[in-house]
């Protein structure tokens, strides 16, 4: 789909964007793996789930010098949620499933809620958060945050 993230990637002059059609993330990963093997490209793990990235991501989170009791984050691959757990071990991490993976794949130890919209549709205009966010991704969690978050809860905006 023509999303904000895709538009940003396509604007980079050192990146070649190859679009694949897939119903779920697993299908997209399989297509990307096949494409990388065929072209000699390098396949980055979904969510950049490898230690060089996640260790730096956690360090960045901890450098903010905040101590949230409750954190809300969108759930695509689950990498950000897993990093938030390590960065803020005393916080309750709430993941809003964006329908990329199943709730079981995102799973414990955090609370997972699911939004009704498919990933291929943007957040509705009346449910957009008061901060910059990607309409096809982070913006969608605002409706759940407004309904369920406690006052002072922290929202981790990925895209």
């Amino acid at each position: 789909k023509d999303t904000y993230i895709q538009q940003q990637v396509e604007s980079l002059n050192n990146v070649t964007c190859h679009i694949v059609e897939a119903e779920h993330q697993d299908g997209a990963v399989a297509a990307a793996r096949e494409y990388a093997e065929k072209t000699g490209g390098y396949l980055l793990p979904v969510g950049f789930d490898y230690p060089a990235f996640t260790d730096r991501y956690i360090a960045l989170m901890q450098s903010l010098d905040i101590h949230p009791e409750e954190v809300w984050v969108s759930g695509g691959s689950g990498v950000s949620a897993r990093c938030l757990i390590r960065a803020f071990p005393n916080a309750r991490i709430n993941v809003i499933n964006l329908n990329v993976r199943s709730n079981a794949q995102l799973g414990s130890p955090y609370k997972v809620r699911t939004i009704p919209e498919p990933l291929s549709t943007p957040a509705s205009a009346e449910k957009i958060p008061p901060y910059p966010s990607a309409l096809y991704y982070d913006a969608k969690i605002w409706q759940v945050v407004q309904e369920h978050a406690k006052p002072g809860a922290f929202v981790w905006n990925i895209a």
Side-chain angles (χ1 to χ4, degrees):
K1 298 295 179 182
D2 186 19
T3 67
Y4 168 81
I5 295 170
Q6 179 185 335
Q7 292 168 14
Q8 296 304 304
V9 169
E10 289 177 346
S11 74
L12 300 171
N13 62 5
N14 62 342
V15 174
T16 299
C17 189
H18 179 76
I19 307 298
V20 297
E21 293 290 329
E23 288 294 317
H24 299 290
Q25 191 176 63
D26 294 341
V29 170
R33 181 174 291 113
E34 180 182 324
Y35 181 79
E37 289 171 359
K38 184 171 36 172
T39 63
Y42 181 75
L43 177 64
L44 294 171
V46 172
F48 301 110
D49 193 8
Y50 60 102
F53 177 80
T54 57
D55 291 347
R56 180 66 185 113
Y57 196 24
I58 292 163
L60 171 68
M61 292 171 175
Q62 292 173 329
S63 75
L64 298 175
D65 195 29
I66 59 170
H67 307 284
E69 292 181 24
E70 178 178 278
V71 179
W72 292 81
V73 63
S74 54
S77 66
V79 171
S80 290
R82 289 190 296 277
C83 289
L84 285 161
I85 286 171
R86 290 176 51 201
F88 306 116
N90 296 322
R92 179 180 171 162
I93 308 299
N94 297 276
V95 180
I96 292 81
N97 186 343
L98 297 176
N99 297 308
V100 175
R101 305 185 92 181
S102 70
N103 282 358
Q105 288 173 307
L106 291 174
S108 62
Y110 33 76
K111 174 72 176 173
V112 179
R113 298 177 190 273
T114 304
I115 59 163
E117 300 88 6
L119 187 63
S120 60
T121 61
S124 62
E126 63 273 1
K127 297 177 183 176
I128 294 175
Y131 50 83
S133 59
L135 292 178
Y136 287 83
Y137 207 77
D138 292 276
K140 293 180 178 185
I141 76 169
W142 188 243
Q143 61 186 312
V144 178
V145 170
Q146 283 185 301
E147 184 177 343
H148 298 286
K150 294 178 183 172
F154 184 73
V155 177
W156 187 263
N157 192 31
I158 297 172

